[in-house]
Amino acid sequence: MSKFIFSSPRKYVQGAGVLDELGTYVAELGQHAFLVADDIVWKLIGERTQKTLKAAGIEFSWQQFNGEASSNEINRLTQLAKAQGSNVVVGLGGGKTLDTVKAIADELKQPVAIVPTVASTDAPCSALSVIYSDSGVFESYRFYSKNPDLVLVDTAVCAGAPARLFASGIADGLATWVEAQAVLRSHAKSMVNGDPTIAGTAIARACEETLLTWGYSAYTAVSEKRVTPAVEAVVEANTLLSGLGFENAGLAGAHAIHNGFTAIDGDIHHLTHGEKVAYGTLTQMVLEQRPDEEIARYIRFYRSIKMPTTLKELHLENESWENLLRVGALANSEGDTLKNLNPNLSPEDIANAIVAVDAFSRTVQ
């Protein structure tokens, strides 16, 4: 029997300057906030955050995020939150900070508010976290019974971040519809373990349409740290549409191949999540035998926003075949989503596609 599920945050707020309204929205959730942010983010927006929370009469304490969404980091911060007596958890920063904060709130069974400072991933709106080892190797997905209670996105803050991170969010978002189509074809389940809804599928499609229509102009505006209507549209696509789309329509090859890259060491780990997902998306498209011109269109778009489309740009041009097979094996593991694309793929199939993307990309004008 089919079971259709649609999951979403309780409230999503986006706009230039909305960080200064954070206290008003957090007050709906609790009166003692446990804040998590890395040192860079805290120096950037910590003062404004404290001001808005104080104005709303909210007590708070801040703890520094140490950089990895690992079980040890989640446990460390959970114990500190318990000691502080918080009743709402607030995360400020990028994807790994936000995934960690969702896990802390789940451990404490408390509301969670998510405040992205970059529009670089689809993590903010989802009811799951990607868990890594302390050294950054993909381990598992952790699922929650509910999505964040609040996602608040200040587009001026996001536009002030490096344009590379904004472009990475576009690349992450472009995987949404590509992967959703694979899930529909294979009759697989979404990330909320239901059949994809019409709404979830429409959102995934709208994500791609928005990014291909306004992604480049938004990227150029953010390169000048400006907020334009195109930037607002793309921030929404990177954050809300991509988040709702991947969760409710499902994941397949692009993100599994991204996770596979964590099996090897080297300079690839200096790349962002979205940069690796971009290459994973192209690899999925090769495995699907999509038309050459469709793949070429994605390659040209990725190049326009400086996303990698060759092994050299991934720092893998000298990688051994054995290591590419390790990437393929991890991408194809039981706990990941590659089987939503094709349950019969081998590590060799995946490694061959990774190399084929490089060969094809180098011919595209």
Side-chain angles (χ1 to χ4, degrees):
M1 184 178 70
S2 295
K3 180 173 68 173
F4 298 92
I5 301 174
F6 184 86
S7 187
S8 69
R10 169 184 167 272
K11 184 172 287 186
Y12 178 88
V13 180
Q14 176 185 311
V18 296
L19 178 62
D20 298 320
E21 302 173 28
L22 177 63
T24 301
Y25 291 106
V26 171
E28 300 173 3
L29 306 174
Q31 292 299 314
H32 191 158
F34 181 73
L35 310 178
V36 178
D38 64 34
D39 189 55
I40 294 172
V41 167
W42 192 247
K43 287 176 180 176
L44 179 68
I45 62 168
E47 186 174 328
R48 287 176 66 190
T49 301
Q50 293 177 75
K51 183 178 180 181
T52 181
L53 293 177
K54 287 177 181 176
I58 297 170
E59 297 181 52
F60 59 87
S61 59
W62 166 64
Q63 288 292 335
Q64 183 174 333
F65 175 60
N66 285 340
E68 199 55 72
S70 67
S71 295
N72 286 334
E73 181 69 350
I74 291 164
N75 291 336
R76 179 184 77 85
L77 291 169
T78 298
Q79 294 307 312
L80 289 170
K82 284 181 180 177
Q84 296 293 334
S86 69
N87 58 15
V88 57
V89 186
V90 181
L92 308 102
K96 290 191 174 184
T97 302
L98 306 181
D99 274 357
T100 300
V101 164
K102 285 185 280 186
I104 297 165
D106 184 63
E107 290 286 336
L108 299 173
K109 304 305 176 192
Q110 292 180 1
V112 60
I114 299 295
V115 185
T117 53
V118 289
S120 62
T121 76
D122 50 21
C125 293
S126 69
L128 63 85
S129 295
V130 185
I131 305 301
Y132 298 88
S133 69
D134 290 329
S135 61
V137 177
F138 170 77
E139 289 188 344
S140 64
Y141 288 104
R142 175 171 174 168
F143 296 91
Y144 308 118
S145 60
K146 67 179 183 66
N147 295 69
D149 300 271
L150 169 68
V151 178
L152 185 140
V153 188
D154 192 318
T155 42
V157 171
C158 293
R164 176 188 177 190
L165 298 179
F166 188 78
S168 296
I170 294 172
D172 195 25
L174 273 177
T176 308
W177 179 230
V178 173
E179 292 186 284
Q181 291 173 84
V183 172
L184 288 169
R185 282 194 302 269
S186 64
H187 302 284
K189 297 296 184 183
S190 70
M191 299 304 283
V192 289
N193 198 32
D195 293 299
T197 59
I198 294 170
T201 302
I203 288 168
R205 184 186 292 110
C207 184
E208 182 190 68
E209 291 172 354
T210 301
L211 294 175
L212 290 179
T213 302
W214 294 294
Y216 178 71
S217 63
Y219 168 73
T220 59
V222 167
S223 297
E224 299 294 328
K225 302 190 182 305
R226 303 299 176 187
V227 177
T228 64
V231 170
E232 291 284 7
V234 170
V235 168
E236 181 181 340
N238 285 5
T239 311
L240 182 63
L241 302 184
S242 182
L244 294 179
F246 96 78
E247 192 167 32
N248 292 291
L251 292 179
H255 277 82
I257 292 160
H258 162 278
N259 295 338
F261 285 136
T262 67
I264 55 179
D265 297 322
D267 287 341
I268 187 173
H269 298 302
H270 297 150
L271 299 183
T272 66
H273 173 84
E275 287 168 339
K276 288 175 278 188
V277 168
Y279 204 94
T281 302
L282 294 173
T283 305
Q284 174 177 324
M285 295 172 93
V286 167
L287 289 167
E288 292 175 309
Q289 199 179 351
R290 292 206 181 198
D292 288 355
E293 187 50 43
E294 186 176 355
I295 301 173
R297 181 191 185 197
Y298 262 66
I299 288 170
R300 293 185 190 104
F301 180 82
Y302 285 143
R303 285 178 183 167
S304 76
I305 59 171
K306 297 183 171 59
M307 290 292 102
T309 66
T310 65
L311 288 175
K312 183 176 182 179
E313 290 166 338
L314 285 182
H315 309 295
L316 295 182
E317 71 273 25
N318 297 317
E319 203 65 43
S320 69
W321 178 248
E322 289 71 23
N323 275 347
L324 293 181
L325 290 176
R326 289 175 61 200
V327 172
L330 182 58
N332 210 25
S333 61
E334 287 299 322
D336 220 316
T337 58
L338 192 69
K339 288 176 173 55
N340 292 344
L341 172 63
N342 183 340
N344 302 311
L345 292 171
S346 67
E348 289 81 4
D349 293 329
I350 299 156
N352 278 323
I354 289 170
V355 174
V357 168
D358 174 75
F360 182 62
S361 177
R362 287 185 282 112
T363 71
V364 173
Q365 300 299 316

